[in-house]
Amino acid sequence: MPSVYIKTYGCQMNERDSDAVAAQLVAKGYSMASDPLKADVVLLNTCSVRDAAEQKAIGKMSHVASQLRSRKKNAVLGFMGCMAQSRGKELIDKLPDVDLVIGTQKFHHTVDHIGEVLSGKTNKVVDVEEEEGSEAAVREHLLDGASGAKSITSFVSIMQGCNQFCTFCIVPYTRGRERSRSIEDIVGECKNLVDHGVREVTLLGQIVTSYGRREIGIKDGKSAFVQLIEAVHQIDGIDRIRFTSPHPKGYGEDLVQAYGRLPKLCESAHIPVQSGSNSMLKRMHRGYTRERFLDIIHKLREVRPDIGITTDIIVGFPGESEEEFEATLSLYREVEFDNAFVFKYSTRRNTPAAELEQQLPTELIEERHAKLLSEVNQIGASRYETYIGKTMQVLVEGPSRRNKERMEGRTRCNRIVVFDGSERFRGQLVDLNIIRSGSFTLYGDPVILK
Ligand code: SAH
Ligand code: SF4
Ligand code: F3S
């Protein structure tokens, strides 16, 4: 059977989608290749959130096409995911070597489309329509990684799309409107994962706090999202539950209280704030104020003092004044986030912000980016240092990405800890004494029980 190479750009949703596509391919007998130039099928799962992400995938595809086509005339080249959705056939016009363009509601048809092209039944496929029920189509997992090692943690896609329409963001156009899977369906997938050795699940969606708003609704004062967390919490064998990405407006009392009630819900949260200025938040159409955001952080820290909080921030949104940028800096210092992704604003086609005048000069965006980043690093380093001397429990995920000789795991608050250990620790909850901190990494020694 032919071999398939998949490269993934963008967010965890895309990683999850690629994993499901790989699992479907393997189930049909395809093998997975690690070198695109040796593969029979090359799929790039793309991201459109910033221009750089699109350019990377386009560059990679033209490189692969120029190298591979001369060696393997019949190789199949395809784009999947968000850029495939938002650009469609235009991608084939630009890169005529491309055979497949598969949108975000069509991942589960990838195997069939590859088959059609390989058999010569058709030579170009552009499949980017909406498809009812597609939110439940991403369910298969490739549970044994390339090394054959078992996965201890797993992503579970709970919903697709976003209705928030932040003025800078392309996601509502690439992922469509919010559509949620049923609680039973998600619980079934989680139970299956547990049977394969998974102990931690991360519930995924573009705006998970809006999960099931329309389909399930509020029951006994609990949002559908909290109902889902409770249902997953009841599954024996799951030790830890995480989710990403939430929206600040989804942190009602019910979710805050859930942190107090549900011990498996890890004390970590990635809550994108984007800006610390109220006028800017309004122009971004974020739907909350600085004060409301600070109130959420305060409440979460009240319920779980050790909670690790990270965020996303955009610098250089059109018209961002010095004062507005300073408001973001001051919010950052006030919250003392553990870490943040700082993004330079990138104009996205057809978004409301693209129409705004006063796009900022690149040098100013660069300058603000560097300034905020240095704050992120400084605050991160001092927060990480406070863990030295403490004992923290990690779920061991496998060899350290930085040093294969050592193992690494994550604390409940989502910090990576590297330690000396062997494969036998994989999948175990291990207590570590933290002895040192590096850049956004902790180092520890296993606690020896006497
Ligand atoms: N659904 C997630 C965000 C997905 S995009 C959420 O709402 O949290 C991930 C991050 O990319 C966003 O949080 C934002 O900080 C950044 N981003 C989105 N559009 C962008 C743009 N046009 N330019 C720069 N960064 C952007
Ligand atoms: Fe984009 Fe806003 Fe939706 Fe997040 S909440 S995906 S930033 S539109
Ligand atoms: Fe990118 Fe699509 Fe994710 S645009 S950030 S891959 S949802």
Side-chain angles (χ1 to χ4, degrees), residues 13 15-28 107-109 111 134-144 154-157 181 185 189-190 192-193 196:
M13 290 281 268
E15 279 179 46
R16 173 70 198 99
D17 296 336
S18 292
D19 186 51
V21 169
Q24 288 165 5
L25 286 162
V26 168
K28 290 274 182 210
F107 287 109
H108 53 299
H109 297 302
V111 180
S134 60
E135 66 278 5
V138 178
R139 50 172 67 248
E140 288 86 354
H141 290 261
L142 197 62
L143 283 161
D144 301 328
S154 187
F155 290 143
V156 174
S157 174
R181 298 172 67 183
D185 198 19
E189 183 174 327
C190 292
N192 182 40
L193 289 168
H196 286 88

mmCIF file of all heavy atoms in Angstrom, residues 13 15-28 107-109 111 134-144 154-157 181 185 189-190 192-193 196:
data_model
loop_
_atom_site.group_PDB
_atom_site.id
_atom_site.type_symbol
_atom_site.label_atom_id
_atom_site.label_comp_id
_atom_site.label_asym_id
_atom_site.label_seq_id
_atom_site.Cartn_x
_atom_site.Cartn_y
_atom_site.Cartn_z
ATOM 1 N N MET A 13 -6.298 21.848 17.316
ATOM 2 C CA MET A 13 -7.415 21.286 16.536
ATOM 3 C C MET A 13 -6.864 20.612 15.287
ATOM 4 O O MET A 13 -7.309 19.543 14.887
ATOM 5 C CB MET A 13 -8.349 22.405 16.052
ATOM 6 C CG MET A 13 -9.137 23.061 17.110
ATOM 7 S SD MET A 13 -10.539 22.060 17.579
ATOM 8 C CE MET A 13 -11.783 22.702 16.502
ATOM 9 N N GLU A 15 -3.793 19.487 14.886
ATOM 10 C CA GLU A 15 -3.038 18.280 15.264
ATOM 11 C C GLU A 15 -3.990 17.114 15.429
ATOM 12 O O GLU A 15 -3.740 16.005 14.982
ATOM 13 C CB GLU A 15 -2.323 18.501 16.609
ATOM 14 C CG GLU A 15 -1.030 19.252 16.483
ATOM 15 C CD GLU A 15 -0.407 19.438 17.859
ATOM 16 O OE1 GLU A 15 -0.357 18.470 18.644
ATOM 17 O OE2 GLU A 15 0.007 20.567 18.150
ATOM 18 N N ARG A 16 -5.100 17.393 16.088
ATOM 19 C CA ARG A 16 -6.090 16.354 16.328
ATOM 20 C C ARG A 16 -6.676 15.851 14.998
ATOM 21 O O ARG A 16 -6.848 14.651 14.798
ATOM 22 C CB ARG A 16 -7.190 16.919 17.233
ATOM 23 C CG ARG A 16 -8.369 16.016 17.449
ATOM 24 C CD ARG A 16 -8.016 14.814 18.317
ATOM 25 N NE ARG A 16 -9.011 13.765 18.170
ATOM 26 C CZ ARG A 16 -8.868 12.697 17.384
ATOM 27 N NH1 ARG A 16 -7.764 12.500 16.706
ATOM 28 N NH2 ARG A 16 -9.816 11.810 17.294
ATOM 29 N N ASP A 17 -6.991 16.775 14.088
ATOM 30 C CA ASP A 17 -7.562 16.380 12.793
ATOM 31 C C ASP A 17 -6.568 15.521 12.015
ATOM 32 O O ASP A 17 -6.940 14.511 11.412
ATOM 33 C CB ASP A 17 -7.927 17.618 11.962
ATOM 34 C CG ASP A 17 -9.020 18.465 12.610
ATOM 35 O OD1 ASP A 17 -9.802 17.916 13.411
ATOM 36 O OD2 ASP A 17 -9.087 19.675 12.325
ATOM 37 N N SER A 18 -5.292 15.918 12.046
ATOM 38 C CA SER A 18 -4.272 15.139 11.326
ATOM 39 C C SER A 18 -4.170 13.729 11.904
ATOM 40 O O SER A 18 -4.021 12.754 11.172
ATOM 41 C CB SER A 18 -2.890 15.796 11.453
ATOM 42 O OG SER A 18 -2.871 17.008 10.758
ATOM 43 N N ASP A 19 -4.255 13.648 13.233
ATOM 44 C CA ASP A 19 -4.162 12.355 13.898
ATOM 45 C C ASP A 19 -5.318 11.451 13.447
ATOM 46 O O ASP A 19 -5.122 10.269 13.162
ATOM 47 C CB ASP A 19 -4.205 12.586 15.415
ATOM 48 C CG ASP A 19 -3.965 11.319 16.204
ATOM 49 O OD1 ASP A 19 -2.961 10.639 15.924
ATOM 50 O OD2 ASP A 19 -4.781 11.005 17.083
ATOM 51 N N ALA A 20 -6.512 12.036 13.365
ATOM 52 C CA ALA A 20 -7.679 11.236 12.954
ATOM 53 C C ALA A 20 -7.527 10.782 11.495
ATOM 54 O O ALA A 20 -7.839 9.633 11.163
ATOM 55 C CB ALA A 20 -8.960 12.041 13.140
ATOM 56 N N VAL A 21 -7.030 11.676 10.646
ATOM 57 C CA VAL A 21 -6.835 11.302 9.238
ATOM 58 C C VAL A 21 -5.794 10.181 9.144
ATOM 59 O O VAL A 21 -5.991 9.184 8.435
ATOM 60 C CB VAL A 21 -6.400 12.530 8.391
ATOM 61 C CG1 VAL A 21 -5.941 12.110 7.004
ATOM 62 C CG2 VAL A 21 -7.547 13.539 8.290
ATOM 63 N N ALA A 22 -4.699 10.319 9.900
ATOM 64 C CA ALA A 22 -3.657 9.282 9.888
ATOM 65 C C ALA A 22 -4.239 7.944 10.341
ATOM 66 O O ALA A 22 -3.977 6.897 9.733
ATOM 67 C CB ALA A 22 -2.492 9.694 10.791
ATOM 68 N N ALA A 23 -5.070 7.976 11.384
ATOM 69 C CA ALA A 23 -5.660 6.736 11.898
ATOM 70 C C ALA A 23 -6.563 6.103 10.838
ATOM 71 O O ALA A 23 -6.560 4.876 10.655
ATOM 72 C CB ALA A 23 -6.450 7.024 13.175
ATOM 73 N N GLN A 24 -7.313 6.938 10.121
ATOM 74 C CA GLN A 24 -8.192 6.398 9.074
ATOM 75 C C GLN A 24 -7.369 5.788 7.937
ATOM 76 O O GLN A 24 -7.730 4.746 7.386
ATOM 77 C CB GLN A 24 -9.107 7.506 8.535
ATOM 78 C CG GLN A 24 -10.175 7.901 9.543
ATOM 79 C CD GLN A 24 -10.866 9.223 9.217
ATOM 80 O OE1 GLN A 24 -10.616 9.832 8.179
ATOM 81 N NE2 GLN A 24 -11.735 9.664 10.111
ATOM 82 N N LEU A 25 -6.264 6.437 7.602
ATOM 83 C CA LEU A 25 -5.405 5.916 6.529
ATOM 84 C C LEU A 25 -4.772 4.587 6.936
ATOM 85 O O LEU A 25 -4.768 3.626 6.160
ATOM 86 C CB LEU A 25 -4.314 6.941 6.194
ATOM 87 C CG LEU A 25 -4.780 8.166 5.404
ATOM 88 C CD1 LEU A 25 -3.767 9.298 5.515
ATOM 89 C CD2 LEU A 25 -5.003 7.801 3.934
ATOM 90 N N VAL A 26 -4.256 4.547 8.164
ATOM 91 C CA VAL A 26 -3.605 3.320 8.643
ATOM 92 C C VAL A 26 -4.614 2.163 8.682
ATOM 93 O O VAL A 26 -4.301 1.036 8.304
ATOM 94 C CB VAL A 26 -2.943 3.565 10.023
ATOM 95 C CG1 VAL A 26 -2.519 2.255 10.678
ATOM 96 C CG2 VAL A 26 -1.727 4.493 9.864
ATOM 97 N N ALA A 27 -5.849 2.489 9.084
ATOM 98 C CA ALA A 27 -6.886 1.440 9.137
ATOM 99 C C ALA A 27 -7.153 0.858 7.748
ATOM 100 O O ALA A 27 -7.577 -0.282 7.612
ATOM 101 C CB ALA A 27 -8.172 2.014 9.734
ATOM 102 N N LYS A 28 -6.913 1.660 6.718
ATOM 103 C CA LYS A 28 -7.133 1.165 5.345
ATOM 104 C C LYS A 28 -5.879 0.514 4.759
ATOM 105 O O LYS A 28 -5.847 0.174 3.583
ATOM 106 C CB LYS A 28 -7.541 2.332 4.434
ATOM 107 C CG LYS A 28 -8.917 2.858 4.720
ATOM 108 C CD LYS A 28 -9.979 2.072 3.965
ATOM 109 C CE LYS A 28 -11.323 2.687 4.268
ATOM 110 N NZ LYS A 28 -12.452 1.879 4.270
ATOM 111 N N PHE A 107 -12.484 16.204 6.518
ATOM 112 C CA PHE A 107 -11.303 15.374 6.822
ATOM 113 C C PHE A 107 -11.581 13.878 6.653
ATOM 114 O O PHE A 107 -10.745 13.133 6.164
ATOM 115 C CB PHE A 107 -10.841 15.617 8.263
ATOM 116 C CG PHE A 107 -10.173 16.945 8.468
ATOM 117 C CD1 PHE A 107 -10.801 17.963 9.185
ATOM 118 C CD2 PHE A 107 -8.914 17.186 7.944
ATOM 119 C CE1 PHE A 107 -10.173 19.191 9.375
ATOM 120 C CE2 PHE A 107 -8.274 18.410 8.130
ATOM 121 C CZ PHE A 107 -8.920 19.407 8.845
ATOM 122 N N HIS A 108 -12.783 13.469 7.057
ATOM 123 C CA HIS A 108 -13.103 12.033 7.034
ATOM 124 C C HIS A 108 -13.289 11.482 5.616
ATOM 125 O O HIS A 108 -13.490 10.289 5.457
ATOM 126 C CB HIS A 108 -14.333 11.762 7.900
ATOM 127 C CG HIS A 108 -15.520 12.623 7.549
ATOM 128 N ND1 HIS A 108 -15.494 13.993 7.640
ATOM 129 C CD2 HIS A 108 -16.746 12.303 7.092
ATOM 130 C CE1 HIS A 108 -16.653 14.483 7.262
ATOM 131 N NE2 HIS A 108 -17.436 13.483 6.927
ATOM 132 N N HIS A 109 -13.265 12.361 4.616
ATOM 133 C CA HIS A 109 -13.343 11.852 3.237
ATOM 134 C C HIS A 109 -11.963 11.743 2.591
ATOM 135 O O HIS A 109 -11.846 11.361 1.431
ATOM 136 C CB HIS A 109 -14.218 12.781 2.378
ATOM 137 C CG HIS A 109 -15.642 12.833 2.845
ATOM 138 N ND1 HIS A 109 -16.434 11.716 2.944
ATOM 139 C CD2 HIS A 109 -16.401 13.883 3.269
ATOM 140 C CE1 HIS A 109 -17.641 12.075 3.393
ATOM 141 N NE2 HIS A 109 -17.634 13.375 3.614
ATOM 142 N N VAL A 111 -9.421 9.721 2.914
ATOM 143 C CA VAL A 111 -9.013 8.392 2.431
ATOM 144 C C VAL A 111 -9.643 8.109 1.063
ATOM 145 O O VAL A 111 -8.956 7.682 0.122
ATOM 146 C CB VAL A 111 -9.427 7.286 3.437
ATOM 147 C CG1 VAL A 111 -9.008 5.919 2.921
ATOM 148 C CG2 VAL A 111 -8.821 7.536 4.799
ATOM 149 N N SER A 134 -20.523 16.854 10.538
ATOM 150 C CA SER A 134 -19.068 16.687 10.428
ATOM 151 C C SER A 134 -18.353 16.920 11.765
ATOM 152 O O SER A 134 -17.233 16.466 11.961
ATOM 153 C CB SER A 134 -18.490 17.619 9.354
ATOM 154 O OG SER A 134 -18.771 18.958 9.683
ATOM 155 N N GLU A 135 -19.010 17.623 12.704
ATOM 156 C CA GLU A 135 -18.362 17.867 14.003
ATOM 157 C C GLU A 135 -18.097 16.563 14.753
ATOM 158 O O GLU A 135 -17.246 16.510 15.636
ATOM 159 C CB GLU A 135 -19.203 18.810 14.878
ATOM 160 C CG GLU A 135 -20.547 18.286 15.346
ATOM 161 C CD GLU A 135 -21.653 18.426 14.282
ATOM 162 O OE1 GLU A 135 -21.352 18.848 13.155
ATOM 163 O OE2 GLU A 135 -22.809 18.106 14.598
ATOM 164 N N ALA A 136 -18.826 15.500 14.384
ATOM 165 C CA ALA A 136 -18.628 14.225 15.088
ATOM 166 C C ALA A 136 -17.765 13.263 14.281
ATOM 167 O O ALA A 136 -17.602 12.100 14.656
ATOM 168 C CB ALA A 136 -19.981 13.587 15.395
ATOM 169 N N ALA A 137 -17.199 13.751 13.183
ATOM 170 C CA ALA A 137 -16.462 12.838 12.292
ATOM 171 C C ALA A 137 -14.988 12.680 12.659
ATOM 172 O O ALA A 137 -14.305 11.808 12.136
ATOM 173 C CB ALA A 137 -16.596 13.316 10.847
ATOM 174 N N VAL A 138 -14.509 13.535 13.574
ATOM 175 C CA VAL A 138 -13.102 13.435 13.977
ATOM 176 C C VAL A 138 -13.051 12.605 15.255
ATOM 177 O O VAL A 138 -13.196 13.126 16.357
ATOM 178 C CB VAL A 138 -12.500 14.846 14.214
ATOM 179 C CG1 VAL A 138 -11.058 14.759 14.689
ATOM 180 C CG2 VAL A 138 -12.582 15.664 12.935
ATOM 181 N N ARG A 139 -12.940 11.294 15.124
ATOM 182 C CA ARG A 139 -13.030 10.434 16.311
ATOM 183 C C ARG A 139 -11.945 9.366 16.406
ATOM 184 O O ARG A 139 -11.621 8.908 17.487
ATOM 185 C CB ARG A 139 -14.407 9.774 16.370
ATOM 186 C CG ARG A 139 -14.796 9.108 15.030
ATOM 187 C CD ARG A 139 -16.061 8.276 15.109
ATOM 188 N NE ARG A 139 -17.251 9.083 15.339
ATOM 189 C CZ ARG A 139 -17.974 9.061 16.449
ATOM 190 N NH1 ARG A 139 -17.641 8.264 17.426
ATOM 191 N NH2 ARG A 139 -19.045 9.807 16.568
ATOM 192 N N GLU A 140 -11.372 8.964 15.273
ATOM 193 C CA GLU A 140 -10.341 7.917 15.336
ATOM 194 C C GLU A 140 -9.037 8.480 15.897
ATOM 195 O O GLU A 140 -8.732 9.651 15.701
ATOM 196 C CB GLU A 140 -10.058 7.328 13.945
ATOM 197 C CG GLU A 140 -11.158 6.458 13.399
ATOM 198 C CD GLU A 140 -12.235 7.257 12.680
ATOM 199 O OE1 GLU A 140 -12.155 8.506 12.718
ATOM 200 O OE2 GLU A 140 -13.135 6.646 12.089
ATOM 201 N N HIS A 141 -8.282 7.620 16.577
ATOM 202 C CA HIS A 141 -6.987 8.035 17.128
ATOM 203 C C HIS A 141 -5.901 7.084 16.681
ATOM 204 O O HIS A 141 -6.116 5.877 16.636
ATOM 205 C CB HIS A 141 -7.020 8.005 18.664
ATOM 206 C CG HIS A 141 -7.870 9.064 19.266
ATOM 207 N ND1 HIS A 141 -7.345 10.223 19.766
ATOM 208 C CD2 HIS A 141 -9.211 9.152 19.427
ATOM 209 C CE1 HIS A 141 -8.331 10.978 20.233
ATOM 210 N NE2 HIS A 141 -9.479 10.346 20.033
ATOM 211 N N LEU A 142 -4.736 7.664 16.402
ATOM 212 C CA LEU A 142 -3.562 6.837 16.135
ATOM 213 C C LEU A 142 -2.873 6.726 17.487
ATOM 214 O O LEU A 142 -2.070 7.578 17.841
ATOM 215 C CB LEU A 142 -2.672 7.559 15.115
ATOM 216 C CG LEU A 142 -1.624 6.752 14.390
ATOM 217 C CD1 LEU A 142 -2.267 5.653 13.551
ATOM 218 C CD2 LEU A 142 -0.820 7.669 13.476
ATOM 219 N N LEU A 143 -3.249 5.727 18.257
ATOM 220 C CA LEU A 143 -2.829 5.745 19.655
ATOM 221 C C LEU A 143 -1.379 5.347 19.877
ATOM 222 O O LEU A 143 -0.755 5.754 20.839
ATOM 223 C CB LEU A 143 -3.751 4.876 20.491
ATOM 224 C CG LEU A 143 -5.086 5.599 20.759
ATOM 225 C CD1 LEU A 143 -6.153 4.626 21.174
ATOM 226 C CD2 LEU A 143 -4.918 6.689 21.781
ATOM 227 N N ASP A 144 -0.851 4.543 18.983
ATOM 228 C CA ASP A 144 0.546 4.181 19.134
ATOM 229 C C ASP A 144 1.359 5.082 18.233
ATOM 230 O O ASP A 144 1.202 5.029 17.021
ATOM 231 C CB ASP A 144 0.766 2.716 18.757
ATOM 232 C CG ASP A 144 -0.090 1.820 19.642
ATOM 233 O OD1 ASP A 144 -0.314 2.202 20.798
ATOM 234 O OD2 ASP A 144 -0.548 0.780 19.161
ATOM 235 N N SER A 154 -4.328 12.576 25.504
ATOM 236 C CA SER A 154 -4.964 12.614 24.191
ATOM 237 C C SER A 154 -5.872 13.825 24.049
ATOM 238 O O SER A 154 -6.443 14.298 25.027
ATOM 239 C CB SER A 154 -5.779 11.336 24.007
ATOM 240 O OG SER A 154 -6.259 11.279 22.696
ATOM 241 N N PHE A 155 -5.970 14.315 22.835
ATOM 242 C CA PHE A 155 -6.918 15.389 22.518
ATOM 243 C C PHE A 155 -8.253 14.758 22.137
ATOM 244 O O PHE A 155 -8.274 13.727 21.459
ATOM 245 C CB PHE A 155 -6.433 16.176 21.296
ATOM 246 C CG PHE A 155 -5.218 17.018 21.522
ATOM 247 C CD1 PHE A 155 -4.256 17.141 20.529
ATOM 248 C CD2 PHE A 155 -5.048 17.735 22.699
ATOM 249 C CE1 PHE A 155 -3.142 17.947 20.700
ATOM 250 C CE2 PHE A 155 -3.929 18.536 22.890
ATOM 251 C CZ PHE A 155 -2.978 18.647 21.887
ATOM 252 N N VAL A 156 -9.326 15.401 22.532
ATOM 253 C CA VAL A 156 -10.652 14.953 22.097
ATOM 254 C C VAL A 156 -11.399 16.179 21.576
ATOM 255 O O VAL A 156 -11.580 17.168 22.299
ATOM 256 C CB VAL A 156 -11.433 14.318 23.268
ATOM 257 C CG1 VAL A 156 -12.857 13.981 22.843
ATOM 258 C CG2 VAL A 156 -10.726 13.061 23.759
ATOM 259 N N SER A 157 -11.790 16.124 20.317
ATOM 260 C CA SER A 157 -12.475 17.258 19.709
ATOM 261 C C SER A 157 -13.943 17.233 20.135
ATOM 262 O O SER A 157 -14.640 16.249 19.918
ATOM 263 C CB SER A 157 -12.329 17.122 18.198
ATOM 264 O OG SER A 157 -13.085 18.102 17.569
ATOM 265 N N ARG A 181 -20.666 18.109 19.438
ATOM 266 C CA ARG A 181 -21.000 16.679 19.534
ATOM 267 C C ARG A 181 -21.844 16.441 20.785
ATOM 268 O O ARG A 181 -21.861 17.274 21.682
ATOM 269 C CB ARG A 181 -19.712 15.850 19.670
ATOM 270 C CG ARG A 181 -18.790 15.953 18.502
ATOM 271 C CD ARG A 181 -17.468 15.281 18.805
ATOM 272 N NE ARG A 181 -17.607 13.824 18.943
ATOM 273 C CZ ARG A 181 -16.605 13.018 19.265
ATOM 274 N NH1 ARG A 181 -15.401 13.518 19.494
ATOM 275 N NH2 ARG A 181 -16.789 11.720 19.350
ATOM 276 N N ASP A 185 -21.513 10.808 22.995
ATOM 277 C CA ASP A 185 -20.534 10.516 21.965
ATOM 278 C C ASP A 185 -19.103 10.788 22.465
ATOM 279 O O ASP A 185 -18.186 9.978 22.305
ATOM 280 C CB ASP A 185 -20.861 11.416 20.756
ATOM 281 C CG ASP A 185 -20.208 10.931 19.488
ATOM 282 O OD1 ASP A 185 -19.824 9.747 19.450
ATOM 283 O OD2 ASP A 185 -20.069 11.731 18.542
ATOM 284 N N GLU A 189 -15.934 8.153 23.349
ATOM 285 C CA GLU A 189 -14.569 8.252 22.815
ATOM 286 C C GLU A 189 -13.544 8.251 23.958
ATOM 287 O O GLU A 189 -12.512 7.574 23.881
ATOM 288 C CB GLU A 189 -14.428 9.539 21.977
ATOM 289 C CG GLU A 189 -13.055 9.674 21.336
ATOM 290 C CD GLU A 189 -12.973 10.877 20.393
ATOM 291 O OE1 GLU A 189 -13.985 11.226 19.750
ATOM 292 O OE2 GLU A 189 -11.874 11.458 20.300
ATOM 293 N N CYS A 190 -13.861 8.970 25.032
ATOM 294 C CA CYS A 190 -12.923 9.024 26.165
ATOM 295 C C CYS A 190 -12.753 7.635 26.791
ATOM 296 O O CYS A 190 -11.642 7.245 27.157
ATOM 297 C CB CYS A 190 -13.423 9.999 27.232
ATOM 298 S SG CYS A 190 -13.386 11.711 26.698
ATOM 299 N N ASN A 192 -13.038 4.777 25.356
ATOM 300 C CA ASN A 192 -12.214 3.995 24.437
ATOM 301 C C ASN A 192 -10.731 4.348 24.610
ATOM 302 O O ASN A 192 -9.855 3.480 24.603
ATOM 303 C CB ASN A 192 -12.686 4.254 23.003
ATOM 304 C CG ASN A 192 -11.915 3.457 21.998
ATOM 305 O OD1 ASN A 192 -11.608 2.292 22.225
ATOM 306 N ND2 ASN A 192 -11.565 4.097 20.895
ATOM 307 N N LEU A 193 -10.459 5.633 24.808
ATOM 308 C CA LEU A 193 -9.070 6.067 25.016
ATOM 309 C C LEU A 193 -8.511 5.449 26.296
ATOM 310 O O LEU A 193 -7.364 4.989 26.327
ATOM 311 C CB LEU A 193 -9.000 7.592 25.077
ATOM 312 C CG LEU A 193 -9.239 8.310 23.744
ATOM 313 C CD1 LEU A 193 -9.434 9.808 23.963
ATOM 314 C CD2 LEU A 193 -8.074 8.071 22.790
ATOM 315 N N HIS A 196 -7.223 2.147 26.002
ATOM 316 C CA HIS A 196 -5.923 2.077 25.329
ATOM 317 C C HIS A 196 -4.806 2.715 26.146
ATOM 318 O O HIS A 196 -3.737 3.011 25.614
ATOM 319 C CB HIS A 196 -6.010 2.734 23.952
ATOM 320 C CG HIS A 196 -6.751 1.885 22.962
ATOM 321 N ND1 HIS A 196 -8.113 1.949 22.811
ATOM 322 C CD2 HIS A 196 -6.320 0.931 22.120
ATOM 323 C CE1 HIS A 196 -8.487 1.077 21.899
ATOM 324 N NE2 HIS A 196 -7.414 0.438 21.460
#
